[in-house]
Amino acid sequence: MSSLLEIKSSVLRQVQACPSFRRKTEEEPGSASTDLQEPATGAWKPGDGVEFFAQIRLILKKGEGRRGLPCPEVLLRSSSPAPAEPVDPNRGLRALTQEEVEMLYEEALYTILYRAGTMGPNQVDDQEALLGYLQQVFGTSPEEHAEAIERVKKAKAPTYALKVSVMRAKNLLAKDPNGFSDPYCMLGILPGSGNPQEPGPHKEQRFSFRKGAKRGSPLPAKCIQVTEVKSSTLNPVWKEHFLFEIEDVSTDLLHLDIWDHDDEVSLMEACRKLNEVIGLKGMSRYFKQIVKSARANGTARPTEDHTDDFLGCLNIPVWEVPVAGEDRWFKLEPRSSASRVQGDCQLALKLITTQRDTGMSQRGRSGFLSYLLLLSRLLQFEHRAQEPFLQPNSSSWRGELSGPAATVLCLHGAQSNLSELQLAVLHWQVSSRHHQTCTLDYGYLLGLLEDIEAHWEEAASLPQEQEESLADSFSAFSEFVLRLLRQLRDYFPATNSTAVHRLELLLKCLDKLQLFQPSFEICPFETELNMDIAAALKSGLKRLAGLVELVDTVYEDLQSCYGIYASLFHSIIKIDFFTLTFRQLERLVAEEVWVLTEELSPKMTLEVASQLFELYLTLADIQRFWSSIPGRDSHTLALTGIHAPFLPAVKLWLQVLRDQAKWRLQGAVDVDTLEPLDASSKHSSSAATASLCFSHIQELWACLAWPDPAQAQGLGTQLSQDLCEAALFYTELLRKKVHTQPRATGETVSEPLCVVLNNVELLRRVVGQALRGLAWSEGDAGLEGGLPRPLLSCTQALDEDLQREARTVTAHLTSKMVGDIRKYVQHISLSPDSIQNDEAVAPLMKYLDEKLTVLNSLLVKENLSRVLEALWELLLQTILQALGTNVDVSADFYSRFHFTLEALVTFFHAEGKGLPLENLKDGSYKKLEEELRLHKCSTRECIEQYYLDKLKQRSLEQNRFGRLSIRCHYEVAEQRLAVEVLHAADLLPLDANGLSDPFVIVELGPPHFFPLVRSQRTQVKSRTLHPVYDELFYFSVPAEACRRRGACVLFTVMDHDWLSTNDFAGEVALSLGNIGGILRSQVGGSTKAEQPITLHLRRPRAQVKSTLRMLEGRTNREAQEFVKRLRELEKCMEMDP
């Protein structure tokens, strides 16, 4: 708890140092209110849009690294050397007195001068080199060095002993009937002959103790040792340990026999009872005689034959044992050429000293302590020797020892009979202490701990003094490491991969220490190590300044905790470092923020709102960070609900944003030259600025992510309206700007207009995307198009406005080409018939190709399509006007324009790269194509088309003009057509009384198909909309005429008026080709229509009227008579029936 209070106090002190948020201290009375009311120098003012949006970019850039959970690859940005760790010379081993140094020096010399055994391949065998190395380590003069050597040589030689561990044997011969043996080992030291044996080939020998000695010489029984008998096995495991004194290292031999046991006598007990055996020549026979004597003194009867079977032997010269000892398999040897043996035996051999004539031994200093002091001296010397080759402030030295140093330590460790565990413990104690005075590589220290762990099963054999010494080293190292963890971010910054790797190794060292802790009788830690580590981590957050800076630093630290530190601490020492850190920091930040917002809420100014807005964005990022981790509940955070006091500041800041956006757009347009920004873009600088502003606003809204749905809807709706207002404000600025641009004489394609059009299109896309990015959660409220209804409505309205603006600019752009297009179309219409169609059209096509090439280079794809559509419509209307002004011209005239139309379609389609064919052949194109087709037709063809158009008409609203029921058939025998008008229904009320006085006109067409037939009509039915006629009409016409294409009967319903012109109520045409009696299959009989036909009335469509106008414009007799006949029919309609 005290550490938490300490952190809180530290944070508060740092926050109070930030003048932007906190009140001035009591030493500055009266200044607080002034600062809050008056905007500071950096406050946003009108005209500062550039600076405002620059600050927004900084905020967004800060948030770019906060999207999603951090990855170590992103955080680890530097591989420079890790920060230097603190070192303290006083934390090493205590300094030795001069007397102790001299004794240690003589101890080292004694070790070298009285070494025994064989040197290994990696050891220095040169005695002078080893002595010279020690002189350098201890810094003695040549005279002092020589004197020390003389003193050591005068000392007594050490007493040597051979440690033998009989581990196991394998693949022995089976001597018993059951296929196994009952092996045991008998081993002892054979004193040498006095001459050292030399390695090399030699003839077969029969081994015996003291060859050449007299038969009666005694042999002490203590030289013989026996293992236990392992029953029924060919792969016995003994693991028994023996110690033999060595009289002469250079000549003594270790001899070992393996026998198959055949009785119940205890051989080991027999060896103890037997004092001496006399008169034996060979060693193997000597061992065998011991067995026989043991049986003779045992329970076996003399008459029984108890002979143990020989399984193999070993003869190992003591001087061949490596100085470091060895543990290996030896191949069993026969005792003579007649012996048959097989298998191997594993022995562990080590040559040690039991008595040493040195000052340290005389003072009672153990070999353990002597080795510790010697290792410390050598390690310091080796580290100093390597420093020139290491980088400055480097901590990469891994304790590599030179050949002489390793040899000296190996000799001393072996002679002092130090176990593998003791050696590992000594190297850890010395290196961990040295690390605290001169930094080492944690990988090296971890390796030393792993060495201890590998031999930790021998920990029970450690004397209490050595165990206490190891515990002290663990405690000292833990204390040193905890001090580093209290300043974790200083010594192991998350952005430095080298430091993070060192932290990983350090934590693994701590993990190893926890493994050893339960094994100590004297616990090296006063409390659980994990609790100590947690306390150290909690106290390491004391370097933050200013609340905004504080929260930003907290977020960065949390990223480091999650991305780097958390996995290390959890995987290695099982500490939830992230939760520990997050909970503490989040609580402290929340406490400070609640107090701050309460103080500043009644004193809200523009500057305060801006900084509070930035503060809230980071707080929201912290909450999202926690929620994005699986299994984390954000409702338990102290920051829950923190958005509420920030609402007034956010509202004020959004108002500032609206004004600043307009100022920024105004400034951008003012400096815009309406030229493309660069070679790769087709919009100007102001469009790029506007695009960036709107994108930044959308990103800020995403970062804001207001949690309250109702408040988010209000904020989002207002912001979307502000964006729409700013977008339309920008288009208005562009329109005014382009009008003030000077125009080049004769310019038909305005580059500034093209740039403005591109700007509008870019704005439409960017603002649309920004508005869609403002979507907020409406809970259970319905969404339309994936957007809240207010936002969708705003988006659609703005898109329509910008599309309209684009069409306006496009019309302005194409209007400059109207005069040229009319000129080239007139050229086509005035071209004489002698000129080919392609020659007449060529000037227009060349003109369009030149202008569209320019437009293609200036416009983006969407705008080019807009201009193509506008030009296409302009061309169609111009050609229609040309057709209307040229009356009574030749058919070649219309053929030429038909050729022109098809050429333009090909040109604007551009093999699929231009406008789609369905767009080109729609609207005005259909009207123009129909007129051209009709103009190319003869008068009769036009009249037939008039009736075909009537047959093709379909009522858009079937019941709008009413229905007419008729019955129609052809009487073949009489060669006449019978048409019966039955009744009508739902006619239009054309009189003031809401009714009509309808009658029906029945006529056949086209007239030139039926030249002798006149139209007929029914009676007038007064005041009804559902008249019943039941009138039958006959038309004498040949069947062949009825079968012709376009032949039809036309029913026209009129409203009879007594005082004015009859009113048209509707019409409908019925093709004669499909009525009964007309079909060829029915020739030869008279067929009456059994079922009435219901026809839906309609009004003439534009296509029919177009054909009629075409006929009116023709001056030939047939056309004029047809038009005149229609006019007479109209007059007849006005007459009283």
Side-chain angles (χ1 to χ4, degrees):
M1 189 62 184
S2 60
S3 61
L4 294 179
L5 294 176
E6 182 182 358
I7 296 173
K8 182 177 179 181
S9 300
S10 173
V11 173
L12 291 177
R13 286 196 301 272
Q14 295 170 50
V15 170
Q16 288 170 354
C18 179
S20 302
F21 291 94
R22 306 298 293 167
R23 294 178 308 222
K24 295 294 183 179
T25 57
E26 296 180 359
E27 286 75 13
E28 299 175 328
S31 60
S33 59
T34 304
D35 288 341
L36 290 174
Q37 298 297 332
E38 297 278 344
T41 306
W44 307 120
K45 301 180 291 295
D48 284 348
V50 176
E51 184 180 354
F52 182 83
F53 278 92
Q55 181 66 20
I56 288 181
R57 284 195 296 274
L58 293 177
I59 295 175
L60 292 175
K61 185 176 181 181
K62 181 171 61 177
E64 286 178 359
R66 300 176 178 176
R67 297 172 184 171
L69 297 177
C71 300
E73 294 78 6
V74 177
L75 295 172
L76 297 174
R77 298 185 292 269
S78 171
S79 59
S80 58
E85 296 179 9
V87 293
D88 184 1
N90 297 324
R91 296 188 65 86
L93 297 176
R94 69 173 183 82
L96 300 180
T97 64
Q98 182 61 33
E99 182 182 5
E100 289 174 327
V101 171
E102 292 176 358
M103 287 193 299
L104 182 62
Y105 185 34
E106 291 182 2
E107 178 76 18
L109 295 175
Y110 189 89
T111 300
I112 294 174
L113 292 173
Y114 293 101
R115 61 178 178 169
T118 303
M119 304 296 285
N122 297 325
Q123 295 170 334
V124 177
D125 197 17
D126 186 349
Q127 179 173 289
E128 292 301 324
L130 295 176
L131 295 175
Y133 172 74
L134 288 178
Q135 181 184 358
Q136 295 178 14
V137 171
F138 286 88
T140 59
S141 64
E143 294 77 12
E144 294 172 338
H145 180 64
E147 292 176 2
I149 291 177
E150 288 301 321
R151 286 196 303 271
V152 172
K153 286 182 178 180
K154 293 178 180 179
K156 294 180 181 179
T159 300
Y160 290 99
L162 181 64
K163 289 181 65 176
V164 181
S165 297
V166 183
M167 306 304 293
R168 57 180 60 83
K170 62 182 179 180
N171 303 326
L172 299 180
L173 280 176
K175 296 292 186 177
D176 296 340
N178 61 2
F180 294 97
S181 295
D182 302 319
Y184 64 91
C185 295
M186 181 178 291
L187 64 158
I189 297 298
L190 176 64
S193 60
N195 297 320
Q197 299 186 20
E198 298 295 336
H202 53 275
K203 63 181 181 179
E204 179 185 355
Q205 301 179 16
R206 294 181 180 271
F207 297 98
S208 64
F209 284 98
R210 301 182 186 274
K211 280 193 174 185
K214 295 180 180 179
R215 179 179 296 272
S217 59
L219 180 68
K222 64 179 181 180
C223 296
I224 308 301
Q225 301 286 348
V226 182
T227 67
E228 292 182 355
V229 177
K230 300 297 180 181
S231 301
S232 301
T233 179
L234 300 179
N235 300 287
V237 177
W238 290 288
K239 294 187 178 179
E240 297 186 34
H241 311 284
F242 308 97
L243 183 65
F244 298 100
E245 290 186 2
I246 303 298
E247 295 181 5
D248 190 343
V249 175
S250 60
T251 60
D252 286 355
L253 292 173
L254 169 67
H255 180 78
L256 178 143
D257 280 347
I258 301 181
W259 299 84
D260 173 37
H261 179 55
D262 286 331
D263 60 23
E264 301 299 329
V265 178
S266 173
L267 296 177
M268 190 172 296
E269 185 65 23
C271 287
R272 293 194 189 100
K273 294 179 179 179
L274 182 63
N275 292 321
E276 58 182 26
V277 178
I278 301 176
L280 299 179
K281 292 185 178 179
M283 178 179 179
S284 56
R285 291 182 61 191
Y286 174 75
F287 280 10
K288 188 173 182 180
Q289 184 61 36
I290 292 178
V291 176
K292 291 181 178 180
S293 301
R295 293 200 186 100
N297 293 318
T299 59
R301 292 189 298 269
T303 58
E304 295 180 50
D305 184 13
H306 295 282
T307 303
D308 287 352
D309 295 317
F310 179 74
L311 296 177
C313 66
L314 293 174
N315 295 280
I316 304 172
V318 174
W319 67 268
E320 290 184 359
V321 176
V323 293
E326 64 178 341
D327 184 348
R328 68 181 181 91
W329 289 89
F330 294 85
K331 188 171 183 61
L332 293 176
E333 304 171 357
R335 59 185 174 184
S336 67
S337 59
S339 301
R340 178 173 173 266
V341 299
Q342 71 176 37
D344 302 274
C345 181
Q346 182 187 5
L347 300 180
L349 306 176
K350 189 175 184 181
L351 198 57
I352 65 173
T353 59
T354 56
Q355 293 181 5
R356 299 169 64 86
D357 186 17
T358 63
M360 298 201 75
S361 297
Q362 294 170 2
R363 297 285 182 93
R365 306 289 177 85
S366 65
F368 184 91
L369 178 59
S370 300
Y371 189 95
L372 182 143
L373 299 176
L374 181 60
L375 173 60
S376 176
R377 190 84 176 191
L378 295 181
L379 193 68
Q380 295 176 24
F381 177 81
E382 292 287 328
H383 198 171
R384 287 195 300 269
Q386 291 294 325
E387 282 182 350
F389 307 102
L390 300 175
Q391 296 180 356
N393 300 324
S394 174
S395 56
S396 60
W397 193 58
R398 298 181 56 84
E400 300 93 344
L401 297 178
S402 63
T407 302
V408 171
L409 292 173
C410 178
L411 289 171
H412 193 277
Q415 294 177 18
S416 299
N417 191 24
L418 297 177
S419 66
E420 295 292 337
L421 176 60
Q422 287 176 313
L423 290 174
V425 167
L426 285 165
H427 278 266
W428 160 257
Q429 288 184 228
V430 173
S431 297
S432 63
R433 287 286 188 177
H434 182 70
H435 170 70
Q436 299 170 49
T437 63
C438 191
T439 308
L440 301 178
D441 190 300
Y442 282 106
Y444 166 63
L445 297 177
L446 178 61
L448 297 179
L449 290 172
E450 290 172 346
D451 289 342
I452 297 177
E453 182 183 14
H455 302 92
W456 194 241
E457 60 185 14
E458 307 170 19
S461 64
L462 280 180
Q464 181 176 347
E465 179 184 356
Q466 296 178 15
E467 180 181 335
E468 292 177 357
S469 176
L470 177 60
D472 290 341
S473 71
F474 283 168
S475 294
F477 181 75
S478 300
E479 180 184 347
F480 175 78
V481 168
L482 293 177
R483 186 173 62 169
L484 296 180
L485 292 181
R486 292 186 186 97
Q487 296 176 283
L488 174 70
R489 296 150 186 85
D490 292 329
Y491 297 124
F492 307 101
T495 56
N496 188 304
S497 58
T498 306
V500 170
H501 179 63
R502 284 180 56 79
L503 174 62
E504 180 181 4
L505 296 174
L506 179 149
L507 294 177
K508 289 182 178 180
C509 291
L510 287 178
D511 184 51
K512 292 296 181 185
L513 294 188
Q514 293 184 97
L515 294 178
F516 302 133
Q517 182 176 353
S519 302
F520 282 104
E521 296 179 3
I522 302 174
C523 183
F525 311 122
E526 295 180 1
T527 59
E528 288 291 334
L529 182 58
N530 277 17
M531 297 176 61
D532 292 340
I533 296 172
L537 296 174
K538 288 180 179 180
S539 62
L541 308 168
K542 302 178 180 179
R543 53 187 178 88
L544 310 176
L547 191 53
V548 176
E549 293 80 2
L550 171 91
V551 178
D552 287 341
T553 306
V554 164
Y555 189 92
E556 293 174 3
D557 189 74
L558 292 176
Q559 282 187 310
S560 302
C561 291
Y562 185 85
I564 301 297
Y565 300 136
S567 59
L568 296 179
F569 280 89
H570 185 268
S571 63
I572 298 174
I573 57 178
K574 305 301 183 292
I575 286 182
D576 191 353
F577 179 84
F578 177 74
T579 301
L580 181 75
T581 306
F582 187 95
R583 287 290 190 182
Q584 186 181 20
L585 291 177
E586 182 261 348
R587 183 175 65 256
L588 292 175
V589 168
E591 291 175 359
E592 183 63 20
V593 170
W594 282 109
V595 173
L596 178 72
T597 53
E598 183 179 355
E599 293 176 357
L600 296 181
S601 182
K603 308 171 184 178
M604 191 64 61
T605 64
L606 179 56
E607 180 190 11
V608 172
S610 299
Q611 295 189 14
L612 284 179
F613 182 83
E614 182 179 355
L615 174 62
Y616 176 75
L617 291 181
T618 303
L619 295 175
D621 286 337
I622 292 177
Q623 291 178 287
R624 281 193 293 271
F625 186 16
W626 178 261
S627 301
S628 63
I629 303 174
R632 308 289 176 153
D633 184 9
S634 60
H635 297 291
T636 61
L637 297 180
L639 286 173
T640 302
I642 198 67
H643 64 280
F646 283 89
L647 183 60
V650 172
K651 287 183 176 180
L652 179 57
W653 192 88
L654 291 180
Q655 294 176 10
V656 175
L657 175 64
R658 175 196 60 199
D659 298 335
Q660 291 289 338
K662 288 186 177 181
W663 292 331
R664 183 69 187 96
L665 295 175
Q666 176 73 66
V669 173
D670 288 344
V671 299
D672 196 352
T673 59
L674 296 184
E675 295 177 352
L677 189 61
D678 51 49
S680 61
S681 59
K682 297 181 179 181
H683 54 266
S684 65
S685 59
S686 65
T689 301
S691 174
L692 197 60
C693 289
F694 291 122
S695 298
H696 286 344
I697 293 173
Q698 186 266 323
E699 291 178 30
L700 275 175
W701 175 259
C703 294
L704 189 64
W706 200 257
D708 185 278
Q711 295 174 354
Q713 178 177 354
L715 294 174
T717 301
Q718 184 60 51
L719 183 58
S720 62
Q721 293 174 357
D722 293 342
L723 282 182
C724 294
E725 182 181 340
L728 296 178
F729 175 73
Y730 174 69
T731 59
E732 182 181 352
L733 292 175
L734 286 179
R735 194 183 313 117
K736 294 179 180 178
K737 180 81 173 182
V738 77
H739 288 330
T740 61
Q741 291 288 104
R743 300 180 183 179
T745 305
E747 181 186 43
T748 56
V749 177
S750 172
E751 181 175 350
L753 275 178
C754 292
V755 171
V756 169
L757 189 57
N758 291 335
N759 288 355
V760 172
E761 174 60 24
L762 178 63
L763 181 73
R764 186 184 70 83
R765 290 190 287 106
V766 170
V767 178
Q769 181 178 355
L771 288 173
R772 288 188 292 273
L774 297 184
W776 57 84
S777 174
E778 287 195 331
D780 298 331
L783 298 180
E784 297 181 10
L787 296 176
R789 280 186 289 270
L791 184 58
L792 179 63
S793 175
C794 186
T795 303
Q796 293 174 343
L798 178 64
D799 189 72
E800 292 175 2
D801 290 338
L802 294 179
Q803 291 278 18
R804 188 182 306 109
E805 183 68 23
R807 289 194 295 270
T808 301
V809 178
T810 301
H812 192 190
L813 183 63
T814 55
S815 66
K816 298 179 179 298
M817 305 170 66
V818 172
D820 292 336
I821 289 177
R822 287 177 178 173
K823 180 180 67 175
Y824 288 111
V825 171
Q826 185 179 13
H827 170 77
I828 296 173
S829 65
L830 296 179
S831 297
D833 296 341
S834 59
I835 297 179
Q836 296 293 326
N837 289 339
D838 53 354
E839 294 182 14
V841 177
L844 174 62
M845 304 303 291
K846 181 180 179 182
Y847 172 80
L848 291 175
D849 184 66
E850 292 175 353
K851 298 308 175 186
L852 290 180
T853 299
V854 176
L855 289 171
N856 183 51
S857 65
L858 295 176
L859 297 174
V860 297
K861 183 178 180 180
E862 295 83 358
N863 288 331
L864 182 62
S865 296
R866 286 193 181 98
V867 173
L868 288 176
E869 291 173 356
L871 281 177
W872 178 244
E873 184 66 23
L874 175 60
L875 282 165
L876 295 178
Q877 294 298 330
T878 304
I879 294 175
L880 281 171
Q881 292 175 7
L883 295 180
T885 56
N886 290 272
V887 182
D888 196 20
V889 292
S890 65
D892 292 338
F893 175 86
Y894 298 107
S895 297
R896 177 167 294 168
F897 271 107
H898 191 272
F899 175 84
T900 302
L901 182 62
E902 294 305 316
L904 289 173
V905 168
T906 303
F907 178 83
F908 277 82
H909 181 56
E911 299 180 348
K913 298 179 181 179
L915 296 178
L917 286 176
E918 56 270 20
N919 292 359
L920 290 170
K921 295 185 177 182
D922 196 14
S924 299
Y925 172 86
K926 292 182 178 179
K927 178 180 179 181
L928 176 58
E929 185 187 38
E930 181 66 15
E931 289 209 15
L932 289 173
R933 187 180 66 78
L934 293 175
H935 278 299
K936 290 171 59 179
C937 296
S938 63
T939 298
R940 288 194 172 185
E941 289 175 338
C942 287
I943 294 174
E944 292 174 14
Q945 185 63 44
Y946 173 80
Y947 285 96
L948 285 173
D949 290 340
K950 285 186 176 293
L951 289 173
K952 293 178 182 178
Q953 288 188 98
R954 293 291 183 269
S955 177
L956 297 178
E957 301 179 23
Q958 293 186 352
N959 297 324
R960 181 179 177 186
F961 301 106
R963 303 181 302 278
L964 179 66
S965 295
I966 59 100
R967 190 180 283 121
C968 185
H969 65 277
Y970 186 78
E971 298 176 354
V972 179
E974 290 78 8
Q975 292 286 302
R976 66 182 182 181
L977 178 69
V979 180
E980 184 178 5
V981 180
L982 300 176
H983 57 83
D986 299 328
L987 299 180
L988 290 176
L990 299 177
D991 292 342
N993 58 7
L995 300 173
S996 292
D997 304 316
F999 66 95
V1000 181
I1001 300 173
V1002 184
E1003 60 178 330
L1004 302 183
H1008 57 274
F1009 287 1
F1010 311 101
L1012 302 177
V1013 177
R1014 296 178 61 83
S1015 63
Q1016 304 182 57
R1017 62 183 179 177
T1018 66
Q1019 296 180 356
V1020 176
K1021 302 296 180 178
S1022 301
R1023 298 181 180 182
T1024 180
L1025 299 179
H1026 308 280
V1028 177
Y1029 298 104
D1030 291 330
E1031 297 184 38
L1032 181 62
F1033 303 97
Y1034 290 101
F1035 298 91
S1036 298
V1037 292
E1040 290 75 9
C1042 294
R1043 294 190 187 102
R1044 295 181 65 177
R1045 180 175 177 270
C1048 66
V1049 55
L1050 181 64
F1051 301 93
T1052 305
V1053 180
M1054 303 292 291
D1055 171 44
H1056 178 68
D1057 285 333
W1058 296 97
L1059 302 177
S1060 62
T1061 305
N1062 294 332
D1063 296 325
F1064 178 80
E1067 68 176 9
V1068 64
L1070 177 67
S1071 175
L1072 296 177
N1074 295 325
I1075 67 174
I1078 294 299
L1079 296 177
R1080 295 183 184 277
S1081 61
Q1082 297 172 340
V1083 174
S1086 176
T1087 303
K1088 292 187 178 181
E1090 296 295 336
Q1091 296 294 332
I1093 301 173
T1094 299
L1095 303 173
H1096 293 275
L1097 299 175
R1098 49 188 175 264
R1099 295 275 177 118
R1101 302 288 296 276
Q1103 199 170 12
V1104 178
K1105 295 180 180 179
S1106 175
T1107 306
L1108 184 59
R1109 286 195 303 271
M1110 185 75 62
L1111 291 169
E1112 289 177 345
R1114 296 200 175 189
T1115 58
N1116 61 73
R1117 179 179 177 182
E1118 187 173 14
Q1120 291 298 318
E1121 288 181 354
F1122 178 76
V1123 174
K1124 180 180 178 181
R1125 183 170 175 275
L1126 291 179
R1127 297 287 182 259
E1128 290 176 353
L1129 179 61
E1130 292 177 358
K1131 292 179 181 180
C1132 291
M1133 293 176 186
E1134 300 173 1
M1135 295 175 60
D1136 186 5

